[in-house]
């Protein structure tokens, strides 16, 4: 079974195919975040986009193990462009700005989370990017 | 204003002191996670503990900017011990096991999130650990 094949769920007692779901978090590689800072920003983005998803998407994603991939972004501009594509496709997404208490200037854009949504919908936005 | 001083909020029109809140995520340093894997596991732990918190804690934490710190853990045993302390103190927490599709053996414990809760309550569990 491929990564997008989905799982068999049930609705009203009938088996239905639940699409494989994921969330992609794009973090900037051009601002020199340390490992801990990176992880905190990715977590912040993940939760923020999750909260924008409707409850059915949230539930399906969690039932499938809340799959996440962390990807390399190259610039603030790229994150905004990807966010606009996700908006246009109706995919929940969130751009994070760091509060700037440490390491970064206040307001620095650090990460974008796309999804949870069906694998192929997320891939249509972030499929070109490399794993972090 | 110190990190635990809190903020002034309002309840029924009266000003009240909202305690400063945070979440600490302890990630293992002894299993050689790459940066992207580390970030994904931290995000997984963060969301899982968040969902165990009651809605008031969730709201207060988000209103304060959902502050997170990522800390260094040295072993699976340490994460379980810290989780037990948090349980005893009634602090929401979640231990994460990796599905093991990449890098790690399936079921490897990777991270523990403690909170959201008031700063001093979280510190009573994880205050001895170093920043990641």
């Amino acid at each position: 079974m491929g990564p997008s094949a989905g799982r068999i769920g049930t609705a009203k007692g009938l088996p239905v195919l639940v699409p494989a779901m994921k969330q992609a978090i794009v973090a900037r590689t051009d601002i020199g975040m340390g490992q801990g800072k990176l992880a905190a920003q990715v977590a912040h983005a993940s939760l923020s986009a999750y909260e924008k998803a409707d409850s059915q998407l949230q539930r399906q994603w969690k039932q499938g193990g809340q799959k996440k991939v962390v990807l390399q972004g190259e610039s603030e501009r790229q994150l905004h462009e990807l966010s606009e594509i996700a908006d246009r496709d109706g995919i929940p997404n969130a751009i994070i700005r760091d509060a700037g208490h440490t390491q970064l200037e206040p307001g620095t854009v650090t990460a974008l989370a796309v999804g949870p949504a069906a694998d192929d919908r997320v891939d249509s936005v972030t499929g070109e990017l490399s794993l972090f």
Side-chain angles (χ1 to χ4, degrees), chain A residues 90-103:
Chain A
I91 303 173
N93 70 94
I95 281 189
I96 299 305
R97 290 178 184 276
D98 188 55
H101 300 305
T102 55
Q103 289 190 28

Side-chain angles (χ1 to χ4, degrees), chain A residues 35-57:
Chain A
Q35 282 192 78
K37 168 67 84 178
L38 172 72
Q41 298 295 315
V42 165
H44 201 127
S46 174
L47 178 58
S48 299
Y50 169 78
E51 296 228 297
K52 293 183 179 180
D54 67 35
S55 58
Q56 186 184 5
L57 281 179

